[in-house]
Amino acid sequence: MHPVRRQRLILVLVLVTLSSAAVGFVTFALRENMDYFYAPSAFAAGAVPVEKRIRAGGCVVPGSIQRSDKSLDVQFVITDGEEELTVSFDKILPDLFAEGEAAVITGRLMPNGILRADQVLAKHDETYTPPEVAESMVSHKSCAGGAKI
């Protein structure tokens, strides 16, 4: 092989190796920041990792909101029409959060099966529903509180 071609080949191989390593490091670093969405049915099936940051969504079951008298703690149940998931939250809920409305929760599933929420997002107007929630709810059409999908 000609020496100039050999140098170019080595240079290309080094660049490909370094680029692959950079992509691998970026992917590894972003892995901890990715939140995967699960419907309550996935929680019931045991397909959700415990104590890993995830997102869940569904309709808030009417009559399921229980507020603490002494703190901001609130517990409620969301459903996708097939299964229900209990969620606990210790911060101020959004103003639009209500029974029968769609909500997306970010948090961690505890070993006792309760989703400990870090963030609760409520439906922000009558026509909007987060795409993940709409996708999981279209087949079930079960927002008992009359939430529009």
Side-chain angles (χ1 to χ4, degrees), residues 11-74:
L11 178 65
V12 168
L13 289 175
V14 168
L15 288 175
V16 168
T17 302
L18 291 177
S19 298
S20 299
V23 168
F25 287 129
V26 168
T27 303
F28 182 76
L30 291 176
R31 184 182 64 169
E32 293 298 320
N33 294 328
M34 289 189 245
D35 298 334
Y36 294 103
F37 180 84
Y38 295 95
S41 298
F43 287 86
V48 179
V50 176
E51 296 188 9
K52 184 175 180 184
R53 188 176 162 92
I54 55 172
R55 290 191 316 156
C59 287
V60 179
V61 175
S64 68
I65 299 175
Q66 300 173 351
R67 297 178 190 272
S68 172
D69 294 335
K70 299 177 182 174
S71 65
L72 292 175
D73 291 342
V74 63

Side-chain angles (χ1 to χ4, degrees), residues 2 10 14 20 22 31 37 43 47 68 73 76-77 86 93-94 103 118 121 125 130 132 134-135 146:
H2 194 273
I10 291 172
V14 168
S20 299
R31 184 182 64 169
F37 180 84
F43 287 86
S68 172
D73 291 342
F76 56 94
V77 177
T86 302
L93 287 169
D118 298 328
L121 302 174
D125 68 23
E132 297 93 351
E135 183 177 301

Side-chain angles (χ1 to χ4, degrees), residues 128-148:
Y128 176 78
T129 299
E132 297 93 351
V133 173
E135 183 177 301
S136 70
M137 298 296 295
V138 163
S139 62
H140 308 301
K141 298 185 179 192
S142 65
C143 276
K148 296 174 185 162

